[in-house]
Amino acid sequence: MILAAAGHGAESRLYLDWMAKSELTDGHFHTCYDFWTGAAASFVEPQLDPMGAFLTAVAYHAAVVDSAILSDSAVMGRLGQVESYFLDNIGAYQLAPPDYSIWEESSDPMEGFPLPTGYFAFSQGLAVVGLRAASRARARVGDANTAAKDAARADAIATAINDHMWVDDADGGHFVRQLWSDSLAADTRLDSASTVLVWGGVASEGRADPHMAAVADKLTRDTHGIARYEGDEYFHNGMWSPAGNHPPEADAEMPPWPVVTAYTAFAEDDDTAQLRAFWVANRAAFGGMPVGEAVDSFEDEFIFSSAPDVYEAALICLSMLSHQGLAPLPGKEGL
């Protein structure tokens, strides 16, 4: 989607063609694939955010680059497989199936014991955005039946999110990070990835502003940076920190991450998004190299073990293009 928005339509199509033939297991994409062979690589699974992202990306490419992709049998065949996964696999409260966090945590980050899967706001939100995008794509090619099924499934997931993943508080409330799949208990911590519920149009009326205010209040670090989630110990005292935690690479918990700072800007006003972009640029590595992962908010410097991570630069590109009116955000009506 970012390639398509930036005018690299051929590269966008190449990636979608690759996704159309990549290996699936149990109907979903793998988290990682080998760079050299394309084979599935062992990592934390399942992570289902690529499922909604693929549906969104095909519709986005069709709207922004070339609608011919909607007549490609391989791409549309894979689109159908992903649609079927969401239509056929129903989680608690009609949610999409549970998975592991986008932050790849299948074990406790402090003590290492195994964690159950969860109904994470990020994956659930992308499922809604993706199914709605797929519905519009199906309507474009005259498949009203599948379009209606996709739209109905998206609405069911969105209703479940708003009914079961919102908590009221004195500040107006916010969306929870997840529901644990084994107990359905809510993990009420704020997670910056949950902003998909705002920019993706999933949040019910009146909930976008208090949620974004809570994200800004609880997750802001280093003036304009955003942390991943409340209590995040990665790069500080977490046991899986890349360079260990003796001494820690960050001087405090919840270091800001440029990648989530860029992502949060999707859901913010133009002026705030610009401040986020300036912060990301000012915290870049040598020669402007994007770091993606954490910045030590006490030293104002990127953490070496996390660089480079080019995803951050791509997200800032899409954010700035959208805020300047040069490219639409994915998931919007008409795409």
Side-chain angles (χ1 to χ4, degrees), residues 150-174:
D150 287 347
R153 183 73 182 103
D155 288 346
I157 299 170
T159 296
I161 291 170
N162 282 286
D163 285 352
H164 299 284
M165 299 184 70
W166 175 265
V167 291
D168 290 307
D169 58 32
D171 297 318
H174 66 270

Side-chain angles (χ1 to χ4, degrees), residues 175-251:
F175 287 101
V176 303
R177 185 180 189 224
Q178 62 156 324
L179 304 177
W180 293 106
S181 64
D182 56 349
S183 66
L184 299 182
D187 177 350
T188 61
R189 291 176 294 172
L190 279 161
D191 189 317
S192 55
S194 64
T195 55
V196 65
L197 303 178
V198 175
W199 65 257
V202 181
S204 293
E205 184 177 357
R207 289 183 171 178
D209 287 346
H211 182 70
M212 293 305 300
V215 168
D217 180 54
K218 298 291 180 63
L219 300 182
T220 296
R221 293 291 184 273
D222 189 20
T223 310
H224 297 299
I226 296 290
R228 295 195 302 176
Y229 59 84
E230 288 184 280
D232 182 16
E233 287 284 357
Y234 197 59
F235 292 116
H236 183 232
N237 284 328
M239 64 181 298
W240 307 119
S241 299
N245 56 11
H246 304 291
E249 296 176 88
D251 286 340

Side-chain angles (χ1 to χ4, degrees), residues 5-78:
H8 298 286
E11 290 85 350
S12 168
R13 178 60 189 269
L14 284 171
Y15 190 73
L16 292 172
D17 286 344
W18 174 79
M19 290 194 78
K21 62 184 180 183
S22 59
E23 179 185 346
L24 302 182
T25 292
D26 298 328
H28 61 77
F29 291 108
H30 289 275
T31 305
C32 294
Y33 293 85
D34 186 275
F35 178 81
W36 301 107
T37 67
S42 177
F43 202 52
V44 176
E45 293 188 355
Q47 291 187 75
L48 299 178
D49 51 287
M51 302 290 279
F54 176 74
L55 298 179
T56 309
V58 171
Y60 192 85
H61 184 97
V64 174
V65 179
D66 186 358
S67 62
I69 196 170
L70 300 181
S71 61
D72 183 276
S73 59
V75 172
M76 295 306 287
R78 178 52 52 89

Side-chain angles (χ1 to χ4, degrees), residues 51-52 55 82-90 96-97 127 131 153:
M51 302 290 279
L55 298 179
V82 175
E83 288 168 314
S84 293
Y85 182 84
F86 285 128
L87 294 172
D88 297 340
N89 293 278
I90 312 297
L131 283 163
R153 183 73 182 103

